Amino acid sequence: TQLLEQSPQFLSIQEGENLTVYCNSSSVFSSLQWYRQEPGEGPVLLVTVVTGGEVKKLKRLTFQFGDARKDSSLHITAAQPGDTGLYLCAGAGWVGGNTPLVFGKGTRLSVIA
Amino acid sequence: GEEVAQTPKHLVRGEGQKAKLYCAPIKGHSYVFWYQQVLKNEFKFLISFQNENVFDETGMPKERFSAKCLPNSPCSLEIQATKLEDSAVYFCASSQRTRPRGGYTFGSGTRLTVV
């Protein structure tokens, strides 16, 4: 079973601070996705990273896929209250090519104005 | 439509009663996935369909859970004889592929409360 560990589980910061969320596994993934979920809604895709070492930027969000394709990070610069939500990483595995996405347990971010 | 529609939004059942949840995937999406989110965080995969065929059911509790995706009807997830631990938000998602780079499109979920 492929597992994704996210850390920290909870994060509360002041507006304007920077933060990094981590997603780690002992398994190799063919790709990894980051979603954000707001209360009462389903997760919404932020980015997909595919190549080991890949870095993608989405405004103030920077996503990195580890060289070995086992881990990923999400860095937010100058966090704003609108960034508040649950951040989930989800991996697509190599083994059993049609297995569904495996989700981490999420990082619940609260940005205080 | 361009969104995954889940109904009802909330469902309350007494322990032992049946619960039935519905999901209308995005038109043109061949794959439907059901996930259970407990404690507002952890997503547990239940079952997936490719059109009306079960694609992967490795996450389904066999005894009380069943699901269907029939042509020209919303997909459904049914729980017979609900238990307190079934209380969770159940999400349906659809996609054109099993592991699309464009991600899954999720519905807003059905919150099941078993009392």
Side-chain angles (χ1 to χ4, degrees), chain A residues 56-99:
Chain A
K56 279 192 174 179
K57 292 196 174 187
L58 187 66
K59 296 183 180 177
R60 293 176 294 99
L61 279 59
T62 302
F63 304 86
Q64 185 162 9
F65 201 13
D67 291 340
R69 309 166 85 127
K70 292 183 179 181
D71 53 82
S72 180
S73 63
L74 158 59
H75 181 79
I76 301 179
T77 303
Q80 298 176 1
D83 296 327
T84 294
L86 178 68
Y87 289 82
L88 295 153
C89 63
W94 287 113
V95 178
N98 292 316
T99 53

Side-chain angles (χ1 to χ4, degrees), chain A residues 24-48:
Chain A
N24 297 299
S25 177
S26 57
S27 302
V28 175
F29 289 95
S30 61
S31 66
L32 199 137
Q33 299 178 339
W34 285 91
Y35 290 79
R36 187 171 89 185
Q37 183 183 21
E38 298 189 22
E41 298 295 328
V44 175
L45 179 72
L46 295 173
V47 78
T48 300

Side-chain angles (χ1 to χ4, degrees), chain B residues 51-64:
Chain B
N51 298 312
E52 62 266 27
N53 303 307
V54 173
F55 193 75
D56 185 335
E57 58 181 346
T58 51
M60 278 289 266
K62 298 286 187 191
E63 294 170 350
R64 300 179 295 107

Side-chain angles (χ1 to χ4, degrees), chain A residues 9-10 30 33 35 37 40-43 45 48 50 86 88 92-94 97-101 103-106 108, chain B residues 9 33 35 37 39-43 45 48 55-56 58 91 98-109 111:
Chain A
Q9 191 175 355
F10 299 96
S30 61
Q33 299 178 339
Y35 290 79
Q37 183 183 21
E41 298 295 328
L45 179 72
T48 300
V50 179
L86 178 68
L88 295 153
W94 287 113
N98 292 316
T99 53
L101 290 178
F103 282 83
K105 292 188 178 181
R108 191 164 294 280
Chain B
K9 198 156 179 71
F33 308 84
Y35 283 84
Q37 185 178 32
L39 299 174
K40 295 187 180 180
N41 278 25
E42 186 173 358
F43 272 77
F45 169 74
S48 62
F55 193 75
D56 185 335
T58 51
F91 284 98
T98 53
R99 299 181 303 174
R101 292 191 181 182
Y104 294 173
T105 302
F106 283 85
S108 296
R111 179 177 296 279

